[in-house]
Amino acid sequence: GKSSVVAAIARALGHGNAFLDIAVRRSWSDDRHLLGFYDAFHGRYDPGPSGLAPRLLQAQRDWDDERRGIYLILLDEFNLSSPEYYFSQLLQVVTRPPEQPRVVRLFDAASLPAFSGSEVDQIIVQPNVSFWGTINYDETTERLSPRLLDRTGMVFLTPRDVLPGERLGGEASEATTRGARAREVCGTWVRRPEQCPRELWEKVEPLLELLARATDEWGARVELSPRVLSAVRRYLANSAGVLDPDKAIDF
């Protein structure tokens, strides 16, 4: 039920219609399979069958206008092919801080002498877009590199984590029907790393000091990258008022 979890999140936010499910193929070797390519023979941009580029463009225009929609993109079987190849450009873009432009180039317009400029050659990935991927680890999939793991958050699901739920009867609530607005989710509800409460970070610091020590009993030291430390701060900031502080630290 990994894929259904992500789809359920989109529906719970009230944006199930904006959810895009992309099935990764074993043959994908570069980002043209995901983002499309410029067809020089016909002189036009071909977005390909994934539907990602049109959806990102829709999200960009939505963010520039009313900032209402929330767009969850699911890459099903994310590591069936190597993400470092087909997801390389997006991997660099989506991990940039919000103050840096997250521009995705669909094709190189400067290398096309006859390009008229009538087609969109680049898209800005706005904060109302989030990428999710489902993975399995077996002989048919690719291993995830440290570079990729350093830039992503992982959610592990076991049978114990999935409980049978009751189907809700009756009409949907007003909040679910109306949907959460992206400008509220991105601007008001989500806290930044620098908003991490000092008392929570003080509980984490001793653990980081222990990890940084090289001992005969524990082995080599473990240094966490600045990107991971920032993610920890962001997680703790958003856990405040939702989870018990000790439970948040434990997770």
Side-chain angles (χ1 to χ4, degrees), residues 146-211:
R147 169 174 168 264
L148 178 68
L149 293 173
D150 191 51
R151 289 165 167 78
T152 57
M154 303 288 286
V155 178
F156 297 92
L157 293 178
T158 68
R160 294 180 58 188
D161 299 317
V162 183
L163 300 177
E166 297 181 0
R167 186 177 299 276
L168 298 177
E171 297 181 358
S173 67
E174 180 184 353
T176 302
T177 303
R178 179 166 48 86
R181 293 174 181 263
R183 61 171 173 260
E184 295 171 344
V185 173
C186 301
T188 305
W189 299 343
V190 178
R191 300 186 181 102
R192 300 183 301 276
E194 55 268 25
Q195 294 176 286
C196 174
R198 181 62 195 172
E199 58 271 18
L200 286 181
W201 188 250
E202 288 176 348
K203 291 177 177 287
V204 175
E205 284 182 322
L207 305 177
L208 299 178
E209 292 175 0
L210 290 175
L211 288 174

Side-chain angles (χ1 to χ4, degrees), residues 31 92 114 133 143 170 197 237:
D31 61 6
Q92 295 176 3
R143 294 190 60 83

